[in-house]
Every structure is written in C-alpha cells, then in structure tokens.
Amino acid sequence: MTDLHRELLELAHEAARRAGELLRDGRPADLAVARTKSSPIDVVTEMDIAAEKLITDLISGRRPDDGFLGEEGASSAGSSGIRWVIDPLDGTVNYLYGLPTWAVSIAAEQDGETVAAVVAAPMRGETYHAVRGGGAWVTGAWKGGRALACRPAPPLDQALVSTGFNYVSEVRTHQAEVAARLIPLLRDIRRSGSAAVDLCDVACGRLDGYFERGLNAWDFAAGDLIAREAGALVGGRPGQGPSRDLTVAGSPGVFEPLQGLLEDFGAWHD
C-alpha cells in the first residue's frame, strides 16, 4: 500500500464513520422526504443531504484540490488527480422506514481508477474496506479486522443471488420479469435495498452473486473494489464494466453463467 493510498483509506474511514454516526444517532423521529429524483418514490431525506455535506466538508478540508462525485449533488473536477465518489446514504428508503440495511459508501479514484474504498453499515456494526492490490477486510466484531473472501462457487442452481429494483415503474416491471425467469434456475433471490451492502455481501461470502440495472457510479464504486479484492468478479454486459445498463458480481464460476443468463433475458433493456 502506498502512502497516498493509505492516506485516502484512512480519510475514507473517518468520513464514513462520522457520517454513519450522524445517520444512526441523528435520525429524527419525524424524518421526512426532502425531495424526489427519478420518480415520486425515489426519495432523498434531509439526512442524505446532511451526511454528504459532512463527508465533503471533511475531505475538502484535508485535501482541497481533490474532486467529488456525490449522489446528492457534490460535483467538482479537482486538480490533484483524486476524485471521491460518494453515496452518503445507500438504502435511503430502508432508512426512511427504519429498516437496518443501509450504508455509507465512499470510494477514492486516482486518475480514473478506484484505489481505496470504504462501506460502513452502522446498523450491522460492520465496516468493509479495500485498497487496490491489498485485499478486502471487514472490521466490527472482529478485533483487528478479518480478511474477506467470496464463497467457493456452487453450481448456478445452488447459488443465492441478490438484486435490486428501479424506482421507475416501467423499468421495475421489466426487472421483475427477468427475476421471475431467473428464480427457477437459482437457489433463490434476495433483495436488500442497498447495492453497496449487496456487493459487500458477495465479498463476505453471504451471497454467491448480485445483479442490478440502473446503478450510478456512486452506488457501486466502493463495493466494486471491495468485491474484486475479495476474489469476486464484477462487470456489466459481456466484455463491459459495471454501468447503468447492468452491474453483475459473483464468485468465479457463478459470475459468467449469471451474466450470460442476464444477457439472454435482456436484463439491460426494456
């Protein structure tokens, strides 16, 4: 690990920890929707906005020349070659309803390549992190942390796979049709409501695979690196990286057949 990558990882840890504490301990009893995005059910709360401001203020105070890409509007080019890709609250609807599956996701890119990543899941008491080439780790109940490794690949019909659904009705309907075709071919399908948590669960060996259409860079940037460093494969459509069209992750042996089925089923379009 280079000194720069260590610095970026430590700063991401601090920012994710502080934002996670704000979200966990500062959630108002009368939490309300601040605005909507792609549809009336794609919501942003005041806590999403507050958490992103906390993260960007902290990082820019330490590294004023870095750029940002944040879900709630943080966007700047920077001049250092480092860009922070931030989802201050991944799983907003879960958070709004008081469900525990939500996370703070922070990735640091150097010249366009993700080099450090942290996903903090406060209600789990777990924080996942990775540095490119340095493996993936989880801290929380394990003193000193524990190295992550994806599960040995089972046959696809024994694979537990997670997915997510878009907030645009027409897209969600198509996604449900794809899921219905997949279910008979898998052990089962799960739906957590947080892409960052799903990718970390692939890294932890809690899932054999994951796929979703419609993700943005902030949804998968940190989880992508964590899953890869745990030995998983991550991509999109065959020959492509993860994108809004499709994001797929899985243990080697699960990834390719799952990706192939998703391509055959047209998971990437209406």
Side-chain angles (χ1 to χ4, degrees):
M1 186 189 306
T2 68
D3 289 343
L4 173 60
H5 294 173
R6 181 178 292 105
E7 177 188 348
L8 298 176
L9 180 65
E10 290 175 354
L11 186 51
H13 263 295
E14 182 179 354
R17 176 184 58 79
R18 290 178 58 179
E21 290 172 349
L22 171 69
L23 292 165
R24 182 193 64 204
D25 301 335
R27 183 185 184 279
D30 59 347
L31 180 66
V33 173
R35 59 183 173 85
T36 61
K37 293 184 286 188
S38 63
S39 77
I41 57 173
D42 185 7
V43 301
V44 178
T45 73
E46 62 191 274
M47 297 302 289
D48 295 71
I49 299 166
E52 183 163 292
K53 184 176 188 304
L54 183 157
I55 293 166
T56 55
D57 285 354
L58 174 63
I59 293 173
S60 61
R62 306 277 181 86
R63 297 185 53 87
D65 297 324
D66 292 355
F68 291 97
L69 176 65
E71 180 172 16
E72 307 314 333
S75 180
S76 61
S79 59
S80 66
I82 303 298
R83 183 176 76 159
W84 298 86
V85 183
I86 300 162
D87 192 338
L89 177 49
D90 188 55
T92 296
V93 172
N94 285 348
Y95 183 79
L96 179 66
Y97 277 76
L99 294 168
T101 306
W102 54 268
V104 180
S105 176
I106 302 176
E109 297 177 341
Q110 182 177 19
D111 299 324
E113 179 180 64
T114 304
V115 295
V118 173
V119 173
M123 305 308 290
R124 286 185 168 190
E126 295 180 348
T127 299
Y128 318 91
H129 73 262
V131 170
R132 184 166 295 278
W137 300 79
V138 59
T139 57
W142 304 273
K143 185 176 182 181
R146 176 172 67 88
L148 297 179
C150 63
R151 288 174 60 88
L156 192 63
D157 63 0
Q158 297 177 31
L160 183 65
V161 173
S162 183
T163 192
F165 293 92
N166 198 276
Y167 289 112
V168 176
S169 178
E170 295 81 1
V171 177
R172 190 167 67 246
T173 298
H174 177 66
Q175 289 172 311
E177 293 168 355
V178 171
R181 295 181 69 181
L182 273 176
I183 283 176
L185 308 177
L186 305 171
R187 180 187 296 273
D188 205 352
I189 287 181
R190 297 287 185 265
R191 194 266 200 266
S192 79
S194 167
V197 171
D198 281 337
L199 287 163
C200 291
D201 278 347
V202 172
C204 291
R206 294 167 177 162
L207 293 169
D208 298 301
Y210 162 71
F211 71 96
E212 189 163 351
R213 173 188 169 193
L215 298 182
N216 293 290
W218 49 76
D219 295 308
F220 61 75
D224 176 11
L225 181 63
I226 292 166
R228 289 177 189 270
E229 288 294 325
L233 301 178
V234 184
R237 296 186 64 193
Q240 300 179 14
S243 71
R244 282 191 60 81
D245 282 344
L246 187 65
T247 298
V248 187
S251 302
V254 168
F255 174 82
E256 289 189 2
L258 176 61
Q259 184 187 50
L261 286 173
L262 293 168
E263 181 71 10
D264 291 345
F265 295 164
W268 46 275
H269 65 71
D270 294 333

